[in-house]
Amino acid sequence: MQTHEIRRRFLDHFVKAGHVEVPSASLILDDPNLLFVNAGMVQFKPYFLGQQTPPYPRATSVQKCVRTGDIEEVGKTTRHNTFFQMAGNFSFGDYFKEGAITFAWELITKSQEEGGYGFDPERIWVTAYEQDPEAAEIWRRVAGIPDERIQFRDGKDNYWDMGVPGPGGPCSEIYYDRGPQYGKEGGPIVDEDRYLEIWNLVFMQDERGELSPKLGNPPVGVLPKKNIDTGMGVERVALLLQGVDNVYETDLVRPVIEKAEELSGSRYHVGSDENDVRFRVIADHARTAAMLIADGVNPSNEGRGYVLRRLLRRIVRSARLLGATQPVMAEFMSVVSTMMSPSYPDLATDFERIERVAVGEEAAFLRTLDTGSRLFELAATEARTAGKTTLAGSEAFALHDTYGFPIDLTLEMASEAGLSVDEEGFRTLMAEQRQRAKADAHSRKQAHADQSVYKELLDTHPTEFTGYTELNSEARVLGLILDGQRVRHATQGQEIEVILDRSPLYAESGGQMADIGRITAAGLALSVNDVQKIGKKLWIHKVTVDEGEIVEGSDVLAQVDPQWRRGATQGHSGTHLVHAALRQILGPNAVQAGSMNKPGYLRFDFSWQGGLSDSVRQEIEEVTNEAMLANYPVNIFETDLAKARSMGALALFGENYGDRVRVVEMGGPFSMELCAGTHVHSSADVGPVTILGESSVGSGVRRVEAYVGMDSYKYLARERALLEGVAAALKVSPEDVPTRVESLVERLKSAEKELEKHRAAAVLASAGSLAASAERLGDVLVVAQQAPDGIGAADVRTLVADVRGRLGSEAAVVALFSASDGKVPFVIATTEAARAVGLKAGDLVRNVAPLIEGRGGGKPDMAQGSGSNEAGIAAAIAALRESVSANAK
């Protein structure tokens, strides 16, 4: 049975049983505890936490998930993936244990002809929490599973919570016996390779405190309603129904391995365990990377982007170690799109962008590999010169951590160079880095914000947003929140949250900043500083009480600052115009990756590789302003999501839209987007748009910033005044300023070249006097002193080499120390005759560097370093003389 069919049967089974089918959420959700969605229940957390009332009593979904707890271990087992599909059914206070067990048993054992999976009931084992005999009794009664195939386990295995205070409960897991060829008899407590877990049923009934019941701590309470959260691993069911050994050989994954075989010339499962791991890494990471890019993640050096970067680079690394010599990413992304798009159509419709992001990162990493290779050669040469056979763990770690150079390639290249690597030292440094990262993550991790204070209001009185049609609305105060607690009143000077039944003030979302304004009544005045929303239906006004007392239940007038709103609509509509201009000029792959707009200003992030030329930026500005001058009417209407997409309306990555959506259209096909923001009535109302610049905000993501309306005019006025000031200073007309400045720059360059000649002459002149000052220590001539005044760090190396040359064939050592701006760069050189008696520049540098609180190194004939203690120069020179004396005859 194919994986897409497994998904379909699961959803059909539960829809027929009265569940609402809910689409998979994006892998990116606004959750402080999660980098990515990692379980099917994540999008339902507000219901389980009791923060919101669910709109349906039971639901089902197939959620795309990513878990990256230990990427380095991927491929070493055949049961785990970073990306996987979690099929689940959920009950919010409806059915409980018996219902969940019955639904699961029916689906897995019902014949395939009847729409089930057709698993042999005699090969199914289950586990239950050791303190939950009720679940075992239900399995016996409903499914007829005998006691010998029911096993009890402790909280680490059979209790579930979210890792922070909140809901939890015992769980019961379903396993399938794959047969004696896969391991020992005795059930899942003996061998989880033979007995493969396919489904986990969580009976969510407890409230967990700071300490988890998984570790034997008692729950702190009982949930007001008992809930069900289950998760069936689609890939694991696929491997069983397709009769293959592991998830990497299933229908949606094996084609990536086959493509890797084709590109590398190596073969999977032909005796090389290391190569098999590399094939599995490619297959796993290619799927995960494609899914992340499809949901709007771009490679970067932090957060989600860093995870994606690691995945993509591990693909490239693994392919190279398998023998691939050409770029591979485009091929892998194509295979993933072909195999996965029947379930995830965005992989096909957005393939060009996905491919471009992946290929761009591959190209960047290949450049990194080239740089790392050169740095490795330097480190290897130094090690061999020093007579070492092992590359230090710190060197390998620096290559990995600073330059992204994989340790596997370091080991391979070291072997080719006749060196080993201090792997233990490398692993220690890596472990220390991971520990620091975990400590940082722990310090930032927080429990779920307690939103229960809003639950009653969410359930009974959602706020009606009136701001699309009016700026002033009569309203009733539904609730007042002070320091997370409901209060009945608040007085002058207090900062509180106000919930109204009606509000014209826009709550921050979609890149548009919240409105500011006032809430007033007789004897009452409040300043609205911010507006946020909870559950997409409750407006939270963060206010300062300027005058009087506000009381829950009172009537007020909510007012938007009209000047702020006008500027905000200009900024938001201007963002749509810039987006449309970018797509018109760059093509449909210039996809929105984020935005922020406020009165008079906008910034727009979009997916694109490489910077934009001045001419392209100018063209974007021209097209935007042409659309503004065209005075396009702004049409706004609601329709269903499918129709909006068929019309070509653009949606924002990571946003979960309902069945009904709001479409903002400007100029017919010029711009059409799904948007809940406030907008001008016609494009001319935006006013002039001035693009301030374009820059990179991460790999594959560019940012355009612009002023609109009066802010645009004021900016241009300042630029004009600046130009006129420069023209007056140069005594030319504004039109002639560029020519005049170019002429001055050329004259400056000529003057700098002349100064360079004089400086070089001065350096050469000092070389003669330095050589003449050489003193003899035994048979060795020594020049060791602070560089003459005026000789900067850039000239020290040249001067040392010149002095050494003037000393001819004598055994000689030349050392000069420069000092400026708190730094002490220095260079040491030796002649051939000096090296013959054991005086090597690299050794001398390492001897003297600590005395100036520095470090350095180099070759036997010339080496250099730098320190930070100018007061130590005299001691360093003395140490150098002592070293020379020890080797001189």
Side-chain angles (χ1 to χ4, degrees):
M1 185 181 298
Q2 300 300 294
T3 301
H4 299 303
E5 176 66 12
I6 293 170
R7 286 169 44 96
R8 188 188 67 79
R9 291 189 180 212
F10 185 94
L11 294 172
D12 286 350
H13 174 74
F14 283 101
V15 168
K16 290 175 183 177
H19 294 67
V20 174
E21 181 180 338
V22 180
S24 171
S26 167
L27 286 166
I28 307 167
L29 289 183
D30 185 16
D31 188 311
N33 298 289
L34 293 176
L35 202 61
F36 303 111
V37 169
N38 63 356
M41 57 74 62
V42 170
Q43 65 172 314
F44 304 114
K45 281 201 304 188
Y47 309 148
F48 290 128
L49 288 166
Q51 297 171 350
Q52 298 179 29
T53 300
Y56 28 69
R58 46 177 82 175
T60 184
S61 71
V62 178
Q63 174 66 46
K64 48 190 177 182
C65 302
V66 168
R67 292 180 185 172
T68 57
D70 199 345
I71 292 176
E72 300 289 344
E73 297 302 313
V74 168
K76 295 178 182 178
T77 73
T78 57
R79 293 185 287 115
H80 297 90
N81 300 111
T82 54
F83 171 82
F84 59 95
Q85 301 173 85
M86 186 65 76
N89 58 288
F90 309 90
S91 168
F92 310 109
D94 189 5
Y95 59 85
F96 197 48
K97 291 181 185 178
E98 183 162 341
I101 290 172
T102 301
F103 286 136
W105 183 254
E106 288 176 351
L107 178 59
I108 61 178
T109 59
K110 188 164 53 178
S111 72
Q112 294 187 10
E113 291 74 19
E114 295 176 302
Y117 294 144
F119 284 115
D120 181 356
E122 300 301 318
R123 298 174 68 176
I124 292 174
W125 291 61
V126 298
T127 61
Y129 183 42
E130 59 187 6
Q131 298 180 31
D132 185 19
E134 179 188 8
E137 189 277 325
I138 296 173
W139 279 114
R140 296 186 197 99
R141 175 166 47 82
V142 170
I145 296 182
D147 286 344
E148 59 266 23
R149 297 212 308 273
I150 301 175
Q151 297 183 325
F152 290 92
R153 307 182 87 165
D154 63 16
K156 292 181 180 179
D157 288 302
N158 277 69
Y159 193 95
W160 182 92
D161 59 45
M162 290 187 286
V164 292
C171 56
S172 184
E173 297 169 329
I174 303 173
Y175 292 79
Y176 189 76
D177 181 2
R178 305 170 72 192
Q181 67 271 35
Y182 290 99
K184 301 176 182 178
E185 292 187 5
I189 64 173
V190 174
D191 191 329
E192 288 198 8
D193 281 321
R194 170 173 173 173
Y195 302 89
L196 187 68
E197 180 193 346
I198 59 173
W199 206 335
N200 186 16
L201 314 180
V202 180
F203 311 129
M204 209 178 290
Q205 62 190 37
D206 302 325
E207 182 180 350
R208 183 208 129 143
E210 289 295 332
L211 302 176
S212 174
K214 291 173 70 71
L215 304 177
N217 303 291
V220 297
V222 177
L223 294 178
K225 291 184 178 180
K226 294 181 178 180
N227 307 305
I228 288 295
D229 159 31
T230 85
M232 186 194 83
V234 173
E235 283 78 10
R236 293 192 180 186
V237 172
L239 82 86
L240 293 173
L241 294 181
Q242 292 172 21
V244 295
D245 287 339
N246 57 67
V247 293
Y248 295 96
E249 296 179 7
T250 55
D251 60 320
L252 301 187
V253 185
R254 182 58 191 254
V256 182
I257 291 179
E258 292 170 354
K259 178 57 69 174
E261 289 180 314
E262 175 188 329
L263 295 173
S264 68
S266 297
R267 291 292 173 264
Y268 182 61
H269 260 343
V270 292
S272 172
D273 290 340
E274 287 186 351
N275 277 358
D276 285 352
V277 170
R278 290 163 185 155
F279 277 116
R280 291 193 287 266
V281 164
I282 291 171
D284 173 86
H285 289 3
R287 287 207 314 163
T288 307
M291 301 303 292
L292 290 177
I293 297 171
D295 274 359
V297 182
N298 285 283
S300 68
N301 287 328
E302 59 184 20
R304 299 180 177 108
Y306 180 64
V307 172
L308 175 59
R309 171 161 285 167
R310 285 188 67 196
L311 294 172
L312 291 170
R313 292 189 169 195
R314 278 171 59 83
I315 294 170
V316 177
R317 176 193 70 184
S318 298
R320 283 175 68 105
L321 290 173
L322 286 172
T325 57
Q326 72 277 37
V328 297
M329 202 61 70
E331 299 276 6
F332 291 145
M333 292 299 105
S334 177
V335 174
V336 171
S337 175
T338 299
M339 303 312 299
M340 299 294 293
S341 58
S343 294
Y344 303 100
D346 287 353
L347 290 174
T349 57
D350 200 24
F351 177 71
E352 287 187 20
R353 185 187 63 83
I354 295 169
E355 179 188 48
R356 180 164 42 79
V357 171
V359 169
E361 181 62 22
E362 177 181 31
F365 184 47
L366 290 176
R367 290 192 294 271
T368 293
L369 289 179
D370 291 339
T371 302
S373 297
R374 291 194 295 272
L375 293 170
F376 171 83
E377 289 298 336
L378 289 174
T381 299
E382 284 191 15
R384 286 193 297 262
T385 301
K388 299 177 181 177
T389 60
T390 301
L391 191 69
S394 57
E395 296 276 10
F397 178 75
L399 284 167
H400 175 87
D401 187 56
T402 306
Y403 302 102
F405 199 68
I407 184 61
D408 290 0
L409 287 182
T410 299
L411 293 170
E412 182 180 337
M413 293 172 66
S415 177
E416 293 172 354
L419 298 170
S420 61
V421 177
D422 177 13
E423 291 189 65
E424 183 176 349
F426 171 81
R427 303 293 176 195
T428 298
L429 291 169
M430 284 294 293
E432 291 174 357
Q433 183 195 56
R434 288 195 185 101
Q435 192 60 41
R436 288 193 297 271
K438 287 180 180 178
D440 180 60
H442 180 74
S443 69
R444 288 184 283 108
K445 188 172 183 178
Q446 55 182 311
H448 297 275
D450 183 7
Q451 297 182 351
S452 58
V453 68
Y454 305 109
K455 184 175 184 302
E456 179 185 348
L457 296 166
L458 278 165
D459 290 347
T460 56
H461 298 289
T463 305
E464 177 191 355
F465 177 59
T466 61
Y468 291 138
T469 57
E470 60 187 34
L471 298 182
N472 303 295
S473 298
E474 294 181 350
R476 179 175 293 274
V477 178
L478 299 179
L480 302 173
I481 311 295
L482 177 63
D483 297 329
Q485 301 295 322
R486 287 283 294 272
V487 294
R488 294 299 176 185
H489 60 87
T491 57
Q492 185 172 344
Q494 290 186 304
E495 295 185 353
I496 62 169
E497 295 178 356
V498 178
I499 294 93
L500 304 176
D501 64 341
R502 303 173 74 245
S503 176
L505 291 121
Y506 185 81
E508 180 181 353
S509 63
Q512 181 175 336
M513 292 185 65
D515 282 334
I516 61 172
R518 306 276 286 170
I519 297 176
T520 60
L524 175 70
L526 291 78
S527 296
V528 179
N529 308 313
D530 188 20
V531 188
Q532 299 294 322
K533 57 185 173 181
I534 295 177
K536 297 186 177 182
K537 56 184 180 180
L538 196 69
W539 264 235
I540 310 298
H541 304 78
K542 299 184 178 183
V543 309
T544 301
V545 182
D546 298 325
E547 179 185 347
E549 179 183 49
I550 184 169
V551 180
E552 184 177 302
S554 59
D555 294 325
V556 296
L557 180 67
Q559 305 165 284
V560 179
D561 182 320
Q563 186 173 351
W564 175 278
R565 171 63 70 82
R566 176 174 172 78
T569 59
Q570 288 178 312
H572 202 154
S573 296
T575 303
H576 283 223
L577 295 179
V578 169
H579 188 191
L582 280 164
R583 291 173 64 83
Q584 179 174 310
I585 295 164
L586 301 179
N589 289 327
V591 177
Q592 180 174 357
S595 68
M596 191 280 281
N597 50 80
K598 62 181 181 178
Y601 169 86
L602 68 88
R603 73 173 187 228
F604 185 82
D605 298 344
F606 61 101
S607 300
W608 195 255
Q609 295 289 340
L612 305 182
S613 66
D614 291 340
S615 61
V616 169
R617 289 199 298 270
Q618 183 178 347
E619 188 178 2
I620 292 168
E621 188 176 72
E622 288 177 357
V623 170
T624 302
N625 282 289
E626 286 171 358
M628 181 271 295
L629 289 171
N631 199 22
Y632 291 136
V634 177
N635 297 316
I636 301 175
F637 57 92
E638 287 193 357
T639 185
D640 62 81
L641 180 60
K643 185 174 181 180
R645 289 187 180 277
S646 69
M647 295 169 64
L650 300 176
L652 184 67
F653 280 123
E655 183 72 20
N656 289 323
Y657 296 96
D659 293 333
R660 298 289 293 177
V661 293
R662 186 169 182 263
V663 181
V664 177
E665 175 260 319
M666 302 179 185
F670 182 75
S671 172
M672 184 181 295
E673 300 189 31
L674 304 186
C675 181
T678 62
H679 289 274
V680 297
H681 297 293
S682 69
S683 62
D685 293 338
V686 172
V689 178
T690 301
I691 292 182
L692 305 177
E694 179 266 343
S695 60
S696 170
V697 289
S699 178
V701 180
R702 310 296 299 181
R703 170 172 292 171
V704 167
E705 296 179 87
Y707 284 138
V708 300
M710 280 300 295
D711 287 84
S712 176
Y713 169 78
K714 292 175 181 177
Y715 172 78
L716 294 174
R718 289 194 302 271
E719 291 289 292
R720 182 178 63 188
L722 178 62
L723 177 61
E724 290 174 347
V726 173
L730 296 175
K731 295 181 172 57
V732 298
S733 66
E735 293 80 8
D736 292 332
V737 166
T739 303
R740 180 62 171 158
V741 169
E742 184 178 353
S743 173
L744 289 174
V745 169
E746 288 301 320
R747 289 173 59 186
L748 181 60
K749 288 181 179 178
S750 297
E752 288 176 343
K753 289 180 181 178
E754 194 63 30
L755 285 173
E756 178 64 22
K757 290 180 182 178
H758 289 294
R759 186 185 57 76
V763 170
L764 292 175
S766 63
S769 61
L770 286 170
S773 70
E775 61 178 310
R776 190 174 295 277
L777 296 178
D779 293 336
V780 181
L781 291 175
V782 178
V783 176
Q785 57 185 277
Q786 189 165 335
D789 292 340
I791 303 299
D795 297 317
V796 172
R797 188 179 180 93
T798 301
L799 185 54
V800 166
D802 196 356
V803 173
R804 180 181 62 179
R806 292 171 184 262
L807 297 177
S809 59
E810 294 254 24
V813 175
V814 181
L816 291 180
F817 297 78
S818 179
S820 62
D821 299 327
K823 295 182 180 180
V824 186
F826 65 97
V827 177
I828 302 175
T830 60
T831 62
E832 185 177 350
R835 294 192 293 277
V837 298
L839 291 169
K840 298 180 180 179
D843 294 340
L844 293 172
V845 162
R846 283 185 282 272
N847 289 341
V848 304
L851 298 171
I852 56 171
E853 298 178 11
R855 56 184 299 182
K859 298 179 181 180
D861 62 327
M862 183 174 286
Q864 64 189 41
S866 182
S868 57
N869 180 19
E870 184 177 349
I873 291 178
I877 291 174
L880 177 78
R881 291 171 177 272
E882 184 177 338
S883 295
V884 172
S885 297
N887 284 272
K889 294 181 180 179

